[in-house]
Amino acid sequence: MSQINFKLLHMFIAVAENKSFRQASEQLNRSQSAVSMQIKLLEDQVGAALFHRTTRRVELTAEGLQLLTHARRALGEWENGLREIREVIDIQRGTLSLACVPTIAATILPQALHAFQASYPGININLRELAAEDMLDCLRRREADFGIGPEMDGSTEFQFAPLFNDPIYALATRAFPFRKRSAVDLTELSAYPILLNSKSAALRSMLERALATRNLQMKIKFEVEHSYTLAALAGAGLGVGILPKVALPRPIKKTMQALPIVNPTLERTVCIVSLRGQSFSPAAGALTSVIHKFLKPRP
């Protein structure tokens, strides 16, 4: 029984539906003797006669009727499975899971998703908005096809495909008298109360390395989870917010100033993130192509 294959079942169904070995052989483009031999092989494997053979017509036995029901069901399931696989390959339908850091998900990702959905309306996207470390954990558990977030130093189990460089800015009211009006020096910045996003582990590490190199320390006044909360605190004059350029509120109010941090210049690299060696599905590959096209920092 384990040797019964779809080829035998296909021939069996053709004979059963035509009620003739001759007509079935014409339909299958096989010789009548070859079809007869295959049906005899199937009967030997089943262990029962499947047809009553007369000089005029062929009729199914009780066992043949029972097998016909299951054979049609089996071939139908097989064809449905092949069709579903082909639809996935052709990016006609399916589901993608995308993990993305909030600063990208809330600003420039929607345009890319809109373009993708217009081209591939049958693909459902599950968007997970996660901090960088949580995004890596999500990818590690294979709960997302890929992620969008900052490049992380020392993460050898992941591969990072760069999308763009995102400079780090200082955001504050004009009550903070920065000496320059085009940029703010890290040394000068360390004299002010600082507002940070507590979830930005990559940004925190970048700042700590830059401060340690210059023997500087920062006075962190508030740590918050969301960039819009940080911007609100900065707008109330409670300190200087440090955040990526892409997360700056738009437009910048006349009472506010947003300046890139220099000496050293701080910036993060936003990347497509995936497990090292991971192969993308056709739909995931198409989405990453659209993201590469549309995900650009705002001027």
Side-chain angles (χ1 to χ4, degrees):
M1 292 290 289
S2 63
Q3 296 180 18
I4 295 177
N5 56 44
F6 286 119
K7 179 181 178 181
L8 289 179
L9 292 181
H10 187 61
M11 285 190 173
F12 166 71
I13 291 173
V15 174
E17 291 179 343
N18 285 282
K19 297 183 179 180
S20 165
F21 281 90
R22 180 182 59 79
Q23 292 179 21
S25 65
E26 292 174 355
Q27 177 183 321
L28 298 170
N29 197 27
R30 300 289 300 274
S31 68
Q32 184 172 335
S33 61
V35 173
S36 297
M37 289 177 60
Q38 292 296 312
I39 295 301
K40 181 63 171 64
L41 176 61
L42 178 61
E43 288 177 325
D44 290 342
Q45 292 175 355
V46 171
L50 300 174
F51 294 100
H52 296 297
R53 297 165 173 83
T54 68
T55 56
R56 293 187 175 183
R57 61 188 305 163
V58 174
E59 296 285 350
L60 285 166
T61 65
E63 292 78 12
L65 282 169
Q66 187 174 4
L67 179 61
L68 180 62
T69 299
H70 293 290
R72 283 172 170 165
R73 184 182 304 157
L75 288 179
E77 289 292 329
W78 175 253
E79 290 171 358
N80 286 338
L82 290 178
R83 183 169 56 254
E84 289 177 2
I85 292 171
R86 175 53 58 188
E87 287 174 349
V88 169
I89 293 173
D90 293 340
I91 321 180
Q92 295 179 15
R93 69 171 182 171
T95 299
L96 283 175
S97 184
L98 167 63
C100 184
V101 295
T103 51
I104 303 299
T107 54
I108 56 179
L109 179 63
Q111 182 185 9
L113 293 182
H114 182 270
F116 179 81
Q117 293 276 250
S119 298
Y120 306 101
I123 302 297
N124 295 318
I125 299 176
N126 175 27
L127 175 60
R128 302 190 63 178
E129 195 175 8
L130 300 169
E133 290 289 349
D134 296 332
M135 179 193 70
L136 296 183
D137 286 339
C138 178
L139 295 175
R140 194 177 285 114
R141 295 191 298 270
R142 299 185 181 275
E143 294 175 355
D145 293 277
F146 63 91
I148 303 174
E151 185 174 8
M152 306 282 281
D153 293 333
S155 298
T156 57
E157 63 184 310
F158 298 97
Q159 52 192 11
F160 298 88
L163 289 169
F164 63 90
N165 291 329
D166 192 15
I168 307 303
Y169 269 59
L171 177 68
T173 65
R174 295 191 180 277
F176 290 86
F178 296 147
R179 288 193 294 269
K180 299 177 181 178
R181 288 297 172 226
S182 59
V184 56
D185 190 283
L186 184 64
T187 302
E188 180 184 4
L189 197 60
S190 65
Y192 296 114
I194 297 299
L195 313 172
L196 280 181
N197 187 323
S198 61
K199 295 290 187 178
S200 296
L203 177 56
R204 173 68 68 88
S205 297
M206 184 192 308
L207 272 173
E208 289 176 348
R209 287 195 302 271
L211 290 167
T213 300
R214 287 159 177 75
N215 293 319
L216 298 173
Q217 289 186 333
M218 279 188 168
K219 297 175 289 187
I220 299 174
K221 187 170 184 181
F222 288 107
E223 290 190 71
V224 296
E225 290 191 9
H226 302 289
S227 295
Y228 54 78
T229 305
L230 187 152
L233 294 176
L238 293 171
V240 179
I242 297 180
L243 70 172
K245 181 181 179 181
V246 75
L248 290 173
R250 297 300 177 101
I252 302 294
K253 296 179 180 179
K254 293 181 179 180
T255 57
M256 302 292 292
Q257 54 185 333
L259 304 175
I261 299 173
V262 296
N263 297 322
T265 297
L266 301 181
E267 66 178 14
R268 66 176 183 171
T269 302
V270 177
C271 303
I272 297 286
V273 188
S274 60
L275 284 170
R276 190 168 296 280
Q278 176 183 350
S279 297
F280 286 172
S281 68
L287 179 55
T288 58
S289 295
V290 172
I291 288 171
H292 273 283
K293 179 180 179 180
F294 281 89
L295 224 64
K296 298 178 181 178
R298 301 176 295 184

